[in-house]
Amino acid sequence: AEEEEGTAALDAGEADFDKGAWAPEAEKYGIVGLLSARQAMMPISKAEEMAHLKMLVSPRQPGEDAEPEPARRNPDRKGGGKGKVPERKKQEVQGAGRVEPNMGSTEILPGSQRNDWWKNCEANALAVIVREHFSLTSAELWRVPPGHYVQQAGPNEVFVSGQATGLQRMPVLPRGWVTVDAISVGGPQYLEKVRRPA
């Protein structure tokens, strides 16, 4: 009889889900309790079997506003919207960044842009390592010898929290990431911005 009532309620479209429920003896858990349990377990380290997989870490907290919809281009506008970034879009990108496990969180460095040229500082006499991904532990792709140049592929990111605070990373062409400046963490400045290769 009890099973028939539950079936009848489901057939009638009535849901008995309670987002605040927490009854382990009845195996009923609401979303609020489950998310609280997950938060208490953070940070969750990757299992060895998953070490090769990338994960997205979203630092947004419950109650924060959702991200605004991206601006859509107006096809009727002259120039197709190329070359100019709306002021609203600039403000959205300003604080964007990532969270890198065991290192901290980053923000986009204002004033950095694609296609700028950078030279390996000859004073440090070190080859700059170009890594496959943003992570300092990702695979090495190639090295930039002292006095040689790289071209920037996107905005620089600077760590603003964690043990790597102040460290600057930059994507380069044709692909990969380099450390621009590690002075804040006891390392050298690897690259200096130049007008163009000499």
Side-chain angles (χ1 to χ4, degrees), residues 9 22 28-29 31 51 58 61 66 70 83 93 96 108 112 140 165-167 174 185 188 190:
W22 191 261
K28 289 191 175 189
Y29 307 98
I31 190 75
S58 178
Q61 299 296 318
V93 172
I108 302 296
S112 64
E140 180 180 323
T165 299
L167 182 86
V185 292
Y190 292 101

Side-chain angles (χ1 to χ4, degrees), residues 45-74:
S45 59
K46 275 189 190 178
E48 189 174 318
E49 298 82 13
M50 296 177 55
H52 66 284
L53 298 174
K54 287 186 178 182
M55 294 190 165
L56 173 66
V57 177
S58 178
R60 190 178 343 163
Q61 299 296 318
E64 288 185 357
D65 293 337
E67 292 181 14
E69 293 261 345
R72 301 204 188 278
R73 289 188 178 165
N74 181 354

Side-chain angles (χ1 to χ4, degrees), residues 93-95 107-113 152 155-158 193:
V93 172
Q94 185 83 17
E107 286 186 1
I108 302 296
L109 200 59
S112 64
Q113 61 187 13
Q152 188 170 346
N156 290 11
E157 292 186 38
V158 61
K193 194 173 183 178

Side-chain angles (χ1 to χ4, degrees), residues 138-167:
S138 66
E140 180 180 323
L141 296 176
W142 48 287
R143 291 178 180 238
V144 181
H148 287 235
Y149 300 86
V150 290
Q151 192 172 21
Q152 188 170 346
N156 290 11
E157 292 186 38
V158 61
F159 280 92
V160 293
S161 70
Q163 66 182 16
T165 299
L167 182 86

Side-chain angles (χ1 to χ4, degrees), residues 27-174:
E27 297 181 1
K28 289 191 175 189
Y29 307 98
I31 190 75
V32 173
L34 290 173
L35 289 174
S36 295
R38 181 184 183 276
Q39 185 64 31
M41 295 178 352
M42 295 303 275
I44 300 172
S45 59
K46 275 189 190 178
E48 189 174 318
E49 298 82 13
M50 296 177 55
H52 66 284
L53 298 174
K54 287 186 178 182
M55 294 190 165
L56 173 66
V57 177
S58 178
R60 190 178 343 163
Q61 299 296 318
E64 288 185 357
D65 293 337
E67 292 181 14
E69 293 261 345
R72 301 204 188 278
R73 289 188 178 165
N74 181 354
D76 299 330
R77 201 176 100 194
K78 279 190 174 180
K82 292 181 181 176
K84 292 188 178 180
V85 178
E87 193 60 38
R88 183 177 67 84
K89 190 69 172 173
K90 284 182 189 174
Q91 291 168 356
E92 290 172 16
V93 172
Q94 185 83 17
R98 69 182 77 219
V99 175
E100 189 66 23
N102 302 321
M103 293 189 70
S105 60
T106 69
E107 286 186 1
I108 302 296
L109 200 59
S112 64
Q113 61 187 13
R114 182 179 170 89
N115 296 328
D116 282 345
W117 285 96
W118 296 76
K119 181 180 179 182
N120 182 348
C121 304
E122 293 180 58
N124 69 35
L126 299 171
V128 176
I129 298 172
V130 179
R131 297 199 176 271
E132 188 172 9
H133 303 291
F134 182 85
S135 172
L136 292 172
T137 59
S138 66
E140 180 180 323
L141 296 176
W142 48 287
R143 291 178 180 238
V144 181
H148 287 235
Y149 300 86
V150 290
Q151 192 172 21
Q152 188 170 346
N156 290 11
E157 292 186 38
V158 61
F159 280 92
V160 293
S161 70
Q163 66 182 16
T165 299
L167 182 86
Q168 293 179 29
R169 299 277 290 155
M170 175 179 75
V172 295
L173 295 171

